Amino acid sequence: MSRIEVREDRCKGCLLCTTVCPVEIIAQSERFNAQGYKVIEVRDMDACTGCASCARMCPDMCITVYKTAKAAKE
Protein backbone atom coordinates (compact mmCIF):
# COMPACT_ATOMS: atom_id res chain seq x y z
CA MET A 1 0.00 0.00 0.00
CA SER A 2 1.42 3.39 -0.98
CA ARG A 3 1.45 6.05 1.69
CA ILE A 4 2.83 9.45 2.57
CA GLU A 5 4.36 10.78 5.76
CA VAL A 6 4.23 14.45 6.66
CA ARG A 7 6.80 16.14 8.87
CA GLU A 8 4.35 18.42 10.61
CA ASP A 9 7.15 20.36 12.30
CA ARG A 10 8.26 21.59 8.84
CA CYS A 11 4.81 22.11 7.28
CA LYS A 12 3.79 25.76 6.93
CA GLY A 13 0.28 25.06 5.64
CA CYS A 14 0.78 26.48 2.15
CA LEU A 15 -1.59 23.80 0.77
CA LEU A 16 0.28 23.47 -2.53
CA CYS A 17 0.23 19.70 -2.07
CA THR A 18 -3.57 19.72 -1.99
CA THR A 19 -3.71 21.28 -5.46
CA VAL A 20 -1.77 18.46 -7.15
CA CYS A 21 -3.11 15.34 -5.43
CA PRO A 22 -4.95 13.40 -8.17
CA VAL A 23 -7.16 11.57 -5.66
CA GLU A 24 -7.74 14.62 -3.44
CA ILE A 25 -6.89 12.93 -0.13
CA ILE A 26 -4.77 15.76 1.31
CA ALA A 27 -6.49 18.58 3.19
CA GLN A 28 -5.80 21.19 5.82
CA SER A 29 -6.29 19.90 9.34
CA GLU A 30 -7.43 21.71 12.46
CA ARG A 31 -4.08 21.02 14.19
CA PHE A 32 -1.31 23.56 14.52
CA ASN A 33 2.41 22.83 14.63
CA ALA A 34 4.91 24.47 17.00
CA GLN A 35 5.35 27.42 14.62
CA GLY A 36 1.60 28.13 14.63
CA TYR A 37 0.82 26.88 11.11
CA LYS A 38 -2.19 24.70 10.35
CA VAL A 39 -0.72 21.49 9.00
CA ILE A 40 -2.03 19.11 6.37
CA GLU A 41 -3.56 15.70 6.94
CA VAL A 42 -4.28 12.70 4.76
CA ARG A 43 -7.97 11.84 4.79
CA ASP A 44 -7.86 8.38 3.16
CA MET A 45 -4.38 6.83 3.10
CA ASP A 46 -5.72 3.68 1.39
CA ALA A 47 -6.55 5.77 -1.68
CA CYS A 48 -2.96 7.04 -2.06
CA THR A 49 -1.50 6.06 -5.43
CA GLY A 50 2.11 6.89 -4.53
CA CYS A 51 2.43 9.33 -7.44
CA ALA A 52 4.64 11.67 -5.33
CA SER A 53 3.13 14.83 -6.85
CA CYS A 54 2.63 16.22 -3.36
CA ALA A 55 6.26 15.65 -2.39
CA ARG A 56 7.55 17.28 -5.58
CA MET A 57 5.30 20.31 -5.04
CA CYS A 58 6.19 20.84 -1.36
CA PRO A 59 8.62 23.78 -1.07
CA ASP A 60 9.74 22.70 2.41
CA MET A 61 10.31 19.02 1.60
CA CYS A 62 8.14 17.85 4.45
CA ILE A 63 6.38 15.02 2.57
CA THR A 64 7.91 11.59 2.07
CA VAL A 65 6.20 9.10 -0.26
CA TYR A 66 6.44 5.34 0.11
CA LYS A 67 5.24 3.60 -3.03
CA THR A 68 4.16 -0.01 -3.06
CA ALA A 69 6.17 -2.10 -5.47
CA LYS A 70 4.13 -3.63 -8.26
CA ALA A 71 4.13 -7.39 -8.61
CA ALA A 72 6.33 -8.67 -11.41
CA LYS A 73 4.50 -10.13 -14.41
CA GLU A 74 5.35 -13.71 -15.24
Side-chain angles (χ1 to χ4, degrees):
M1 171 171 68
S2 298
R3 64 185 172 87
I4 67 170
E5 285 183 1
V6 179
R7 289 192 51 195
E8 291 186 1
D9 60 317
R10 296 183 61 131
C11 181
K12 63 183 180 192
C14 68
L15 304 179
L16 290 174
C17 55
T18 64
T19 65
V20 295
C21 180
V23 289
E24 299 179 355
I25 60 171
I26 303 172
Q28 188 175 44
S29 76
E30 295 300 316
R31 295 185 318 279
F32 292 89
N33 63 13
Q35 290 79 26
Y37 295 113
K38 275 191 170 182
V39 296
I40 60 161
E41 67 182 1
V42 181
R43 298 259 168 94
D44 183 11
M45 191 68 74
D46 293 334
C48 181
T49 62
C51 69
S53 294
C54 55
R56 286 192 297 273
M57 180 60 77
C58 182
D60 298 309
M61 297 185 291
C62 61
I63 300 175
T64 305
V65 178
Y66 298 95
K67 186 170 177 135
T68 304
K70 292 183 180 179
K73 293 184 180 180
E74 294 181 21

